[in-house]
Amino acid sequence: DTGVSQNPRHKITKRGQNVTFRCDPISEHNRLYWYRQTLGQGPEFLTYFQNEAQLEKSRLLSDRFSAERPKGSFSTLEIQRTEQGDSAMYLCASSLSAGPTPLHFGNGTRLTVT
Amino acid sequence: AQTVTQSQPEMSVQEAETVTLSCTYDTSESDYYLFWYKQPPSRQMILVIRQEAYKQQNATENRFSVNFQKAAKSFSLKISDSQLGDAAMYFCAYRSEGGGSEKLVFGKGTKLTVNP
């Protein structure tokens, strides 16, 4: 168990640019989640995959955001035409099943949009 | 929609003392799960303790225990014999049981400082 890995750890971009983040979950976990955390707030749910299927999306996930999980392994989160309001920590988590099973979180990718 | 409220933005405790962090939630569901997660500075979030709503017995994990009051929709975390390593942000979280949604709904967190 090498844990959930997220890359890059930090990303600084100019407004209007596109960015892509990667998440590698724990290998046997079939569920993968993306959350966004702004300063002073708890994580907010963005989207969730079971294997390669994207099963749930938050209203926070505007049409500028897209997430994929090809082949049910790693996942990418792309933000197009970034805005300053997109500045946040983007957290990825994975789990083996639903219900009371805890989520295992990565260290996150901190995005700063200038 | 479910909401989670943590009314204490910050708390402090002396090393070896006991501290209780508060959490209330709002839901119309009868079956759900509640969690406390810990997020140390610049480190990943980890699970502290969890509680199934159908269980009347309060969960305990070593120095961590909860006081789950289902009727009051309250889920507080008690940390006994506080240690310096307990210093972190603590988040209370709610998850539905069934119904198709697997998202965790988090509170805003409580920053815990442990004084030596």
Side-chain angles (χ1 to χ4, degrees):
Chain A
D1 180 356
T2 58
V4 177
S5 176
Q6 291 190 247
N7 288 288
R9 290 293 304 273
H10 304 275
K11 178 71 177 179
I12 300 173
T13 191
K14 292 185 177 180
R15 188 176 57 188
Q17 298 295 304
N18 299 343
V19 294
T20 300
F21 311 140
R22 176 178 171 125
C23 171
D24 287 89
I26 294 172
S27 57
E28 63 267 28
H29 287 184
N30 60 358
R31 286 166 162 80
L32 187 147
Y33 307 80
W34 284 100
Y35 286 81
R36 182 173 71 185
Q37 186 176 22
T38 54
L39 200 61
Q41 302 293 320
E44 297 173 294
F45 172 78
L46 292 178
T47 190
Y48 144 66
F49 291 85
Q50 185 172 331
N51 299 312
E52 67 275 9
Q54 189 174 20
L55 297 185
E56 193 173 355
K57 291 196 293 186
S58 164
R59 287 174 294 176
L60 291 174
L61 212 67
S62 74
D63 56 4
R64 297 185 297 105
F65 288 70
S66 63
E68 294 183 342
R69 193 184 182 196
K71 303 178 183 178
S73 56
F74 71 92
S75 176
T76 58
L77 178 66
E78 181 184 17
I79 308 175
Q80 296 181 328
R81 305 181 302 282
T82 52
E83 302 172 356
Q84 286 190 323
D86 296 331
S87 296
M89 177 74 83
Y90 290 84
L91 297 171
C92 178
S94 68
S95 72
L96 189 56
S97 61
T101 306
L103 270 59
H104 296 257
F105 284 85
N107 283 312
T109 293
R110 180 166 295 284
L111 173 66
T112 302
V113 181
T114 62
Chain B
Q2 295 82 21
T3 58
V4 176
T5 301
Q6 293 180 249
S7 59
Q8 306 154 317
E10 297 187 27
M11 290 283 285
S12 63
V13 62
Q14 291 296 126
E15 198 174 3
E17 297 295 307
T18 296
V19 65
T20 298
L21 308 184
S22 301
C23 171
T24 58
Y25 56 94
D26 187 29
T27 184
S28 58
E29 300 173 333
S30 58
D31 296 318
Y32 48 86
Y33 306 98
L34 296 166
F35 305 83
W36 279 98
Y37 279 86
K38 170 185 178 182
Q39 188 176 40
S42 302
R43 295 184 61 186
Q44 64 196 161
M45 194 172 306
I46 58 174
L47 178 72
V48 175
I49 197 166
R50 61 186 162 190
Q51 174 82 41
E52 290 91 336
Y54 66 85
K55 290 186 177 179
Q56 292 187 341
Q57 187 171 5
N58 289 324
T60 300
E61 289 285 345
N62 301 314
R63 299 182 294 107
F64 299 87
S65 62
V66 298
N67 183 2
F68 173 48
Q69 302 289 328
K70 191 172 184 179
K73 297 179 182 175
S74 171
F75 183 61
S76 61
L77 174 69
K78 185 171 81 171
I79 306 174
S80 303
D81 185 25
S82 297
Q83 300 175 0
L84 295 177
D86 294 334
M89 285 293 294
Y90 285 82
F91 293 96
C92 179
Y94 172 103
R95 183 188 232 177
S96 298
E97 195 278 334
S101 179
E102 293 198 14
K103 68 181 180 184
L104 279 176
V105 178
F106 286 88
K108 290 187 175 183
T110 297
K111 182 179 180 181
L112 179 65
T113 301
V114 181
N115 300 310

